[in-house]
Amino acid sequence: MGKFIDLKAADGFTFPAYAAEPQGKAKGAVVVLQEIFGVNSHIQDVTNRLAAQGYFAVAPATFERVEKGVDLGYNGDTMKAGVALKSAVTALPGAGVMQDIAAAIAYAAQSGAGKVAVMGFCWGGQMTWHAATSLPGLSAAVCYYGGGMTTPGDIALKPLCPTMAHFGDQDHFISLDSVEAFKKAHPEVTVHIYPADHGFNCDQRGSYDAPAAKLAMERTLAFLAANLA
């Protein structure tokens, strides 16, 4: 079971992060990036499960600069709230929330766990792509249904570390055509497409797809093992 800690970004901003440590020597470290629902019970569960697999895992609260303590469930009202918070974060000046992600990467690197990966879901999937294409100190990145990362502007970015991306072919937010465009532009990225909807990894959402989630996690763990060794 993990716990909340405080991290400090380069500009002095202090924010919480949920951290979980493995038993015994770590295989590496993973920074987990939240959906638009905050570091809620699902993101905490993902972090704990990574720790159970032998990784030091930390999930920074990337809404903290615009609203404290965001922890939302999954329904229409919380979706609207999450989208509004995402827009507010996107509108932040300068480095914005990327410096918080950089602080989480630095913290993971200083943990003694070894190499560091970043892994995110939905909005966090796009932020994972942005981190993989702009931040130093990463040995791997895993994007789950990253909203926005298949738009032309994001497709133009180039990853600095090995990257894997998971998408669903029934995703109402990310068109399959845009996924194919991303895949064509990035042969260096391992792209997997599942017969599933957006959010298929989250067992708290109606779109949860157990077979897709299981296969994606198996592939993710194999990818982490190969790149964090």
Side-chain angles (χ1 to χ4, degrees):
M1 182 68 72
K3 63 180 180 180
F4 278 95
I5 58 170
D6 285 331
L7 298 180
K8 183 177 287 187
D11 66 350
F13 180 73
T14 299
F15 60 97
Y18 185 81
E21 298 184 17
Q23 292 186 347
K25 182 175 175 58
K27 299 176 183 178
V30 183
V31 174
V32 180
L33 300 184
Q34 64 173 69
E35 306 160 304
I36 61 169
F37 306 99
V39 182
N40 61 9
S41 59
H42 170 59
I43 295 301
Q44 292 176 38
D45 180 58
V46 170
T47 306
N48 288 333
R49 283 190 280 137
L50 285 168
Q53 290 292 330
Y55 295 97
F56 177 84
V58 56
T62 48
F63 277 159
E64 198 72 5
R65 286 180 182 265
V66 297
E67 186 170 322
K68 307 291 186 185
V70 176
D71 184 345
L72 303 174
Y74 298 94
N75 59 54
D77 291 337
T78 58
M79 176 75 75
K80 291 177 182 177
V83 169
L85 289 165
K86 173 190 171 183
S87 297
V89 169
T90 302
L92 289 171
V97 75
M98 293 307 293
Q99 58 196 321
D100 301 340
I101 297 171
I105 293 169
Y107 175 76
Q110 294 163 9
S111 70
K115 295 179 181 179
V116 181
V118 63
M119 172 179 172
F121 305 84
C122 186
W123 176 50
Q126 184 187 31
M127 290 194 296
T128 293
W129 178 241
H130 288 180
T133 59
S134 66
L135 298 180
L138 290 171
S139 295
V142 181
C143 312
Y144 274 76
Y145 33 85
M149 66 179 285
T150 62
T151 58
D154 273 21
I155 287 176
L157 302 174
K158 300 295 183 183
L160 304 175
C161 64
T163 301
M164 174 178 282
H166 303 289
F167 297 100
D169 65 5
Q170 299 162 35
D171 196 321
H172 292 57
F173 300 102
I174 306 171
S175 73
L176 190 56
D177 285 347
S178 72
V179 172
E180 292 296 344
F182 178 91
K183 186 176 179 180
K184 183 177 180 180
H186 291 287
E188 78 282 11
V189 175
T190 302
V191 177
H192 295 294
I193 302 173
Y194 304 84
D197 200 350
H198 191 81
F200 66 78
N201 180 72
C202 179
D203 58 7
Q204 297 182 28
R205 302 178 75 155
S207 56
Y208 174 61
D209 187 293
K214 181 176 183 293
L215 179 56
M217 187 55 66
E218 288 173 351
R219 288 168 167 169
T220 293
L221 291 173
F223 185 73
L224 293 176
N227 288 287
L228 299 186

